[in-house]
Amino acid sequence: MIRRMWAAAAVLVLAATAPATAAPADSRSTWPQTGSDAGRSFYNAGEDLLNASSIGRLKRRWSVPDATSDCPGRVGPVVAGGLTLTQDTAGLVARDSATGRQVWRDTGIFFDRLAYHLVVSGTTVVVTSSDSLCGIEGGDADGYVCAFDLATGRLLWRRSPNTDAAQLIVTRGMVIVSGNDYGTEPNVEAYRLTDGTPVWSDGDNTDGRRTLFSPIPVGNDVLITRGGVSRRVDAVTGNTTGSWSSTWTPLASYGDWVFVGDSASWSLKAVRVSTGRVAWSTARVSSRVATDGRRLYLASDTSLEAYDVTSGKRAWKAVLGAEVGQPFRAGGLIYVSLTGKPLAVRNAATGARVTTVPQLSSLSAVAGGRLAGADAKGLVVLGL
């Protein structure tokens, strides 16, 4: 695989008033990765500032237009340590969550590269990217996995896996990556979060294509697939702990629950992680789900539905009149984007309408009394 060598260290731009340390951890002010947590529950249990009584006071606090590049997309925002972070072809940027002021920026490693993932774990920011599809060099995918200090943006470590690093799981102090490579047979590689030390690798680039079956862990394990056969692998040791049905695609997990889409029966199943047993199943299937451990929220076509996690009994259904996007759960509320309409806000317990948020067409994070999302131009942050 082609590897690029950088002649100079990453370029780091620090704002003159950048803090020396990250703000203390506060669950209400944290949305550290896509889906809020490794299980992609899309639930912020600590958020108590935004609720049905306060949401009407939201105001536009700051915004940033999206960068223009041949490499598509912006990753993030994610929120942690008083910072809102994004990655795109302009680099990796941390901004003050309250004001939008730039605190630090890396332009040496990620400039003009395809952004994949952005995860904050504790005081460490983990980012993956590739030059694949960007028209820089061509050839095989050239992936990076990098870790930065959250407060200062200092590069802690960098690794070049044998793939484009398009898949990432950060769990149990491990950074686990896989993806595509067009010159070898890809494997799954695991690094220690603190220093990037390689801990284990599943595959040796010649013994069959191996990738993460899902970006969602199942209990202490990650799922690895090879030749259509999937198995559970301990995230820390890399040892196989059991089998996993290749027709079961994890959609979200929270506590002892993992919710899967079963392609064999075209159903959604609620599975106990501790036993592996199916508690209940429904023919209502969608990849757009969220859970708070009490209810499972499912967006399908133009409706949003809630199911009791233990029994599977439907608690409520709301027909919203447009295609419903990914649900977000925080502060007693459910937020969903609607095609061609403003962001909708419903009561999580009853499904009753609360309000709409016309300033946003989509949502990425709910944390610290703020909504971070997008309009037609780019990133928008609303706050109380």
mmCIF file of all heavy atoms in Angstrom, residues 119-127 146-148 156-157 169-176 190-199:
data_model
loop_
_atom_site.group_PDB
_atom_site.id
_atom_site.type_symbol
_atom_site.label_atom_id
_atom_site.label_comp_id
_atom_site.label_asym_id
_atom_site.label_seq_id
_atom_site.Cartn_x
_atom_site.Cartn_y
_atom_site.Cartn_z
ATOM 1 N N VAL A 119 -13.939 11.098 17.375
ATOM 2 C CA VAL A 119 -14.418 10.582 18.655
ATOM 3 C C VAL A 119 -13.581 11.189 19.778
ATOM 4 O O VAL A 119 -12.348 11.235 19.676
ATOM 5 C CB VAL A 119 -14.315 9.041 18.719
ATOM 6 C CG1 VAL A 119 -14.689 8.529 20.109
ATOM 7 C CG2 VAL A 119 -15.187 8.394 17.660
ATOM 8 N N VAL A 120 -14.238 11.639 20.839
ATOM 9 C CA VAL A 120 -13.535 12.089 22.040
ATOM 10 C C VAL A 120 -13.739 11.044 23.133
ATOM 11 O O VAL A 120 -14.872 10.659 23.435
ATOM 12 C CB VAL A 120 -14.036 13.456 22.521
ATOM 13 C CG1 VAL A 120 -13.298 13.869 23.790
ATOM 14 C CG2 VAL A 120 -13.852 14.512 21.431
ATOM 15 N N SER A 121 -12.625 10.594 23.700
ATOM 16 C CA SER A 121 -12.673 9.658 24.824
ATOM 17 C C SER A 121 -11.835 10.244 25.945
ATOM 18 O O SER A 121 -10.611 10.341 25.826
ATOM 19 C CB SER A 121 -12.132 8.287 24.410
ATOM 20 O OG SER A 121 -12.195 7.372 25.492
ATOM 21 N N GLY A 122 -12.490 10.689 27.015
ATOM 22 C CA GLY A 122 -11.778 11.366 28.084
ATOM 23 C C GLY A 122 -11.197 12.680 27.592
ATOM 24 O O GLY A 122 -11.925 13.554 27.123
ATOM 25 N N THR A 123 -9.882 12.819 27.642
ATOM 26 C CA THR A 123 -9.214 14.033 27.164
ATOM 27 C C THR A 123 -8.492 13.798 25.839
ATOM 28 O O THR A 123 -7.629 14.585 25.455
ATOM 29 C CB THR A 123 -8.210 14.536 28.206
ATOM 30 O OG1 THR A 123 -7.216 13.521 28.449
ATOM 31 C CG2 THR A 123 -8.905 14.883 29.513
ATOM 32 N N THR A 124 -8.848 12.728 25.149
ATOM 33 C CA THR A 124 -8.186 12.372 23.897
ATOM 34 C C THR A 124 -9.162 12.438 22.734
ATOM 35 O O THR A 124 -10.272 11.913 22.824
ATOM 36 C CB THR A 124 -7.581 10.960 23.977
ATOM 37 O OG1 THR A 124 -6.658 10.907 25.072
ATOM 38 C CG2 THR A 124 -6.849 10.604 22.696
ATOM 39 N N VAL A 125 -8.741 13.074 21.650
ATOM 40 C CA VAL A 125 -9.524 13.152 20.423
ATOM 41 C C VAL A 125 -8.948 12.154 19.426
ATOM 42 O O VAL A 125 -7.754 12.217 19.102
ATOM 43 C CB VAL A 125 -9.469 14.563 19.810
ATOM 44 C CG1 VAL A 125 -10.345 14.642 18.558
ATOM 45 C CG2 VAL A 125 -9.884 15.610 20.834
ATOM 46 N N VAL A 126 -9.762 11.234 18.945
ATOM 47 C CA VAL A 126 -9.329 10.239 17.956
ATOM 48 C C VAL A 126 -9.985 10.565 16.622
ATOM 49 O O VAL A 126 -11.197 10.764 16.554
ATOM 50 C CB VAL A 126 -9.701 8.812 18.395
ATOM 51 C CG1 VAL A 126 -9.255 7.791 17.348
ATOM 52 C CG2 VAL A 126 -9.065 8.487 19.748
ATOM 53 N N VAL A 127 -9.169 10.614 15.569
ATOM 54 C CA VAL A 127 -9.649 10.996 14.245
ATOM 55 C C VAL A 127 -9.117 10.015 13.217
ATOM 56 O O VAL A 127 -7.964 9.573 13.302
ATOM 57 C CB VAL A 127 -9.184 12.421 13.879
ATOM 58 C CG1 VAL A 127 -9.839 12.887 12.600
ATOM 59 C CG2 VAL A 127 -9.475 13.394 15.005
ATOM 60 N N CYS A 146 -5.214 9.101 14.191
ATOM 61 C CA CYS A 146 -4.440 10.054 14.986
ATOM 62 C C CYS A 146 -5.157 10.356 16.294
ATOM 63 O O CYS A 146 -6.388 10.332 16.359
ATOM 64 C CB CYS A 146 -4.230 11.358 14.221
ATOM 65 S SG CYS A 146 -3.345 11.163 12.659
ATOM 66 N N ALA A 147 -4.365 10.663 17.319
ATOM 67 C CA ALA A 147 -4.906 11.060 18.614
ATOM 68 C C ALA A 147 -4.315 12.406 19.008
ATOM 69 O O ALA A 147 -3.102 12.630 18.864
ATOM 70 C CB ALA A 147 -4.602 10.009 19.670
ATOM 71 N N PHE A 148 -5.177 13.304 19.513
ATOM 72 C CA PHE A 148 -4.785 14.646 19.907
ATOM 73 C C PHE A 148 -5.237 14.910 21.340
ATOM 74 O O PHE A 148 -6.220 14.336 21.809
ATOM 75 C CB PHE A 148 -5.431 15.694 18.996
ATOM 76 C CG PHE A 148 -5.023 15.615 17.560
ATOM 77 C CD1 PHE A 148 -5.652 14.729 16.689
ATOM 78 C CD2 PHE A 148 -4.014 16.424 17.055
ATOM 79 C CE1 PHE A 148 -5.276 14.650 15.358
ATOM 80 C CE2 PHE A 148 -3.632 16.357 15.731
ATOM 81 C CZ PHE A 148 -4.265 15.471 14.873
ATOM 82 N N LEU A 156 -0.736 13.473 19.892
ATOM 83 C CA LEU A 156 -0.246 12.492 20.849
ATOM 84 C C LEU A 156 0.384 11.299 20.142
ATOM 85 O O LEU A 156 1.428 10.807 20.559
ATOM 86 C CB LEU A 156 -1.394 12.021 21.750
ATOM 87 C CG LEU A 156 -2.106 13.116 22.551
ATOM 88 C CD1 LEU A 156 -3.279 12.536 23.328
ATOM 89 C CD2 LEU A 156 -1.136 13.822 23.501
ATOM 90 N N TRP A 157 -0.268 10.812 19.109
ATOM 91 C CA TRP A 157 0.286 9.720 18.313
ATOM 92 C C TRP A 157 -0.427 9.614 16.982
ATOM 93 O O TRP A 157 -1.517 10.143 16.814
ATOM 94 C CB TRP A 157 0.244 8.393 19.072
ATOM 95 C CG TRP A 157 -1.097 7.943 19.607
ATOM 96 C CD1 TRP A 157 -1.589 8.143 20.856
ATOM 97 C CD2 TRP A 157 -2.105 7.183 18.908
ATOM 98 N NE1 TRP A 157 -2.844 7.580 20.984
ATOM 99 C CE2 TRP A 157 -3.179 6.972 19.803
ATOM 100 C CE3 TRP A 157 -2.198 6.656 17.624
ATOM 101 C CZ2 TRP A 157 -4.328 6.270 19.448
ATOM 102 C CZ3 TRP A 157 -3.342 5.951 17.267
ATOM 103 C CH2 TRP A 157 -4.392 5.763 18.175
ATOM 104 N N ILE A 169 -14.003 2.047 16.053
ATOM 105 C CA ILE A 169 -14.654 1.870 17.348
ATOM 106 C C ILE A 169 -13.652 2.275 18.424
ATOM 107 O O ILE A 169 -12.502 1.826 18.411
ATOM 108 C CB ILE A 169 -15.099 0.414 17.589
ATOM 109 C CG1 ILE A 169 -16.180 -0.006 16.587
ATOM 110 C CG2 ILE A 169 -15.619 0.238 19.014
ATOM 111 C CD1 ILE A 169 -16.575 -1.468 16.701
ATOM 112 N N VAL A 170 -14.075 3.124 19.343
ATOM 113 C CA VAL A 170 -13.264 3.458 20.517
ATOM 114 C C VAL A 170 -14.019 2.946 21.729
ATOM 115 O O VAL A 170 -15.097 3.444 22.058
ATOM 116 C CB VAL A 170 -13.003 4.967 20.619
ATOM 117 C CG1 VAL A 170 -12.166 5.273 21.859
ATOM 118 C CG2 VAL A 170 -12.312 5.487 19.367
ATOM 119 N N THR A 171 -13.475 1.947 22.389
ATOM 120 C CA THR A 171 -14.157 1.336 23.527
ATOM 121 C C THR A 171 -13.137 0.667 24.435
ATOM 122 O O THR A 171 -12.107 0.155 23.970
ATOM 123 C CB THR A 171 -15.191 0.297 23.058
ATOM 124 O OG1 THR A 171 -15.914 -0.210 24.180
ATOM 125 C CG2 THR A 171 -14.555 -0.875 22.328
ATOM 126 N N ARG A 172 -13.374 0.703 25.739
ATOM 127 C CA ARG A 172 -12.562 0.012 26.732
ATOM 128 C C ARG A 172 -11.077 0.370 26.617
ATOM 129 O O ARG A 172 -10.204 -0.469 26.797
ATOM 130 C CB ARG A 172 -12.759 -1.499 26.632
ATOM 131 C CG ARG A 172 -14.199 -1.981 26.853
ATOM 132 C CD ARG A 172 -14.312 -3.476 26.728
ATOM 133 N NE ARG A 172 -13.528 -4.154 27.781
ATOM 134 C CZ ARG A 172 -13.122 -5.419 27.694
ATOM 135 N NH1 ARG A 172 -13.413 -6.133 26.625
ATOM 136 N NH2 ARG A 172 -12.419 -5.962 28.677
ATOM 137 N N GLY A 173 -10.792 1.622 26.303
ATOM 138 C CA GLY A 173 -9.408 2.066 26.211
ATOM 139 C C GLY A 173 -8.691 1.622 24.957
ATOM 140 O O GLY A 173 -7.458 1.731 24.873
ATOM 141 N N MET A 174 -9.457 1.153 23.967
ATOM 142 C CA MET A 174 -8.882 0.673 22.718
ATOM 143 C C MET A 174 -9.417 1.480 21.537
ATOM 144 O O MET A 174 -10.576 1.916 21.534
ATOM 145 C CB MET A 174 -9.203 -0.805 22.504
ATOM 146 C CG MET A 174 -8.750 -1.710 23.640
ATOM 147 S SD MET A 174 -6.958 -1.718 23.869
ATOM 148 C CE MET A 174 -6.461 -2.487 22.336
ATOM 149 N N VAL A 175 -8.568 1.642 20.525
ATOM 150 C CA VAL A 175 -8.948 2.262 19.254
ATOM 151 C C VAL A 175 -8.858 1.174 18.195
ATOM 152 O O VAL A 175 -7.765 0.677 17.895
ATOM 153 C CB VAL A 175 -8.015 3.436 18.910
ATOM 154 C CG1 VAL A 175 -8.383 4.036 17.558
ATOM 155 C CG2 VAL A 175 -8.061 4.496 20.001
ATOM 156 N N ILE A 176 -9.997 0.794 17.631
ATOM 157 C CA ILE A 176 -10.064 -0.356 16.732
ATOM 158 C C ILE A 176 -10.523 0.127 15.362
ATOM 159 O O ILE A 176 -11.552 0.793 15.243
ATOM 160 C CB ILE A 176 -11.023 -1.423 17.286
ATOM 161 C CG1 ILE A 176 -10.583 -1.817 18.705
ATOM 162 C CG2 ILE A 176 -11.082 -2.647 16.374
ATOM 163 C CD1 ILE A 176 -11.597 -2.643 19.469
ATOM 164 N N ALA A 190 -5.980 -2.975 16.319
ATOM 165 C CA ALA A 190 -6.349 -2.357 17.589
ATOM 166 C C ALA A 190 -5.131 -1.698 18.214
ATOM 167 O O ALA A 190 -4.052 -2.305 18.290
ATOM 168 C CB ALA A 190 -6.923 -3.401 18.547
ATOM 169 N N TYR A 191 -5.322 -0.445 18.667
ATOM 170 C CA TYR A 191 -4.260 0.336 19.294
ATOM 171 C C TYR A 191 -4.708 0.768 20.692
ATOM 172 O O TYR A 191 -5.894 0.974 20.938
ATOM 173 C CB TYR A 191 -3.943 1.587 18.468
ATOM 174 C CG TYR A 191 -3.668 1.316 17.015
ATOM 175 C CD1 TYR A 191 -4.676 1.455 16.061
ATOM 176 C CD2 TYR A 191 -2.401 0.920 16.589
ATOM 177 C CE1 TYR A 191 -4.430 1.209 14.721
ATOM 178 C CE2 TYR A 191 -2.140 0.675 15.243
ATOM 179 C CZ TYR A 191 -3.159 0.819 14.313
ATOM 180 O OH TYR A 191 -2.922 0.567 12.988
ATOM 181 N N ARG A 192 -3.730 0.954 21.568
ATOM 182 C CA ARG A 192 -4.029 1.454 22.899
ATOM 183 C C ARG A 192 -4.329 2.946 22.811
ATOM 184 O O ARG A 192 -3.580 3.712 22.202
ATOM 185 C CB ARG A 192 -2.865 1.196 23.841
ATOM 186 C CG ARG A 192 -3.197 1.381 25.319
ATOM 187 C CD ARG A 192 -2.201 0.651 26.189
ATOM 188 N NE ARG A 192 -0.824 1.055 25.887
ATOM 189 C CZ ARG A 192 0.242 0.305 26.134
ATOM 190 N NH1 ARG A 192 0.091 -0.893 26.656
ATOM 191 N NH2 ARG A 192 1.454 0.747 25.850
ATOM 192 N N LEU A 193 -5.421 3.386 23.430
ATOM 193 C CA LEU A 193 -5.848 4.774 23.338
ATOM 194 C C LEU A 193 -4.798 5.738 23.877
ATOM 195 O O LEU A 193 -4.569 6.804 23.297
ATOM 196 C CB LEU A 193 -7.167 4.960 24.112
ATOM 197 C CG LEU A 193 -7.691 6.389 24.255
ATOM 198 C CD1 LEU A 193 -8.089 6.953 22.898
ATOM 199 C CD2 LEU A 193 -8.886 6.421 25.206
ATOM 200 N N THR A 194 -4.148 5.393 24.948
ATOM 201 C CA THR A 194 -3.261 6.334 25.627
ATOM 202 C C THR A 194 -2.018 6.682 24.819
ATOM 203 O O THR A 194 -1.555 7.829 24.843
ATOM 204 C CB THR A 194 -2.834 5.787 26.990
ATOM 205 O OG1 THR A 194 -2.290 4.469 26.817
ATOM 206 C CG2 THR A 194 -4.016 5.741 27.945
ATOM 207 N N ASP A 195 -1.447 5.703 24.080
ATOM 208 C CA ASP A 195 -0.181 5.966 23.398
ATOM 209 C C ASP A 195 -0.094 5.406 21.985
ATOM 210 O O ASP A 195 0.944 5.535 21.327
ATOM 211 C CB ASP A 195 0.989 5.441 24.226
ATOM 212 C CG ASP A 195 0.889 3.946 24.531
ATOM 213 O OD1 ASP A 195 0.044 3.265 23.909
ATOM 214 O OD2 ASP A 195 1.646 3.465 25.388
ATOM 215 N N GLY A 196 -1.165 4.774 21.503
ATOM 216 C CA GLY A 196 -1.165 4.266 20.133
ATOM 217 C C GLY A 196 -0.411 2.970 19.938
ATOM 218 O O GLY A 196 -0.208 2.535 18.788
ATOM 219 N N THR A 197 0.008 2.328 21.008
ATOM 220 C CA THR A 197 0.730 1.060 20.885
ATOM 221 C C THR A 197 -0.159 0.005 20.221
ATOM 222 O O THR A 197 -1.289 -0.216 20.669
ATOM 223 C CB THR A 197 1.172 0.557 22.267
ATOM 224 O OG1 THR A 197 2.050 1.505 22.847
ATOM 225 C CG2 THR A 197 1.861 -0.794 22.162
ATOM 226 N N PRO A 198 0.319 -0.685 19.164
ATOM 227 C CA PRO A 198 -0.472 -1.779 18.581
ATOM 228 C C PRO A 198 -0.652 -2.896 19.603
ATOM 229 O O PRO A 198 0.313 -3.332 20.231
ATOM 230 C CB PRO A 198 0.380 -2.239 17.387
ATOM 231 C CG PRO A 198 1.259 -1.071 17.070
ATOM 232 C CD PRO A 198 1.546 -0.416 18.392
ATOM 233 N N VAL A 199 -1.892 -3.341 19.794
ATOM 234 C CA VAL A 199 -2.190 -4.360 20.796
ATOM 235 C C VAL A 199 -2.530 -5.686 20.137
ATOM 236 O O VAL A 199 -2.035 -6.733 20.544
ATOM 237 C CB VAL A 199 -3.335 -3.896 21.722
ATOM 238 C CG1 VAL A 199 -3.695 -4.987 22.734
ATOM 239 C CG2 VAL A 199 -2.947 -2.613 22.452
#
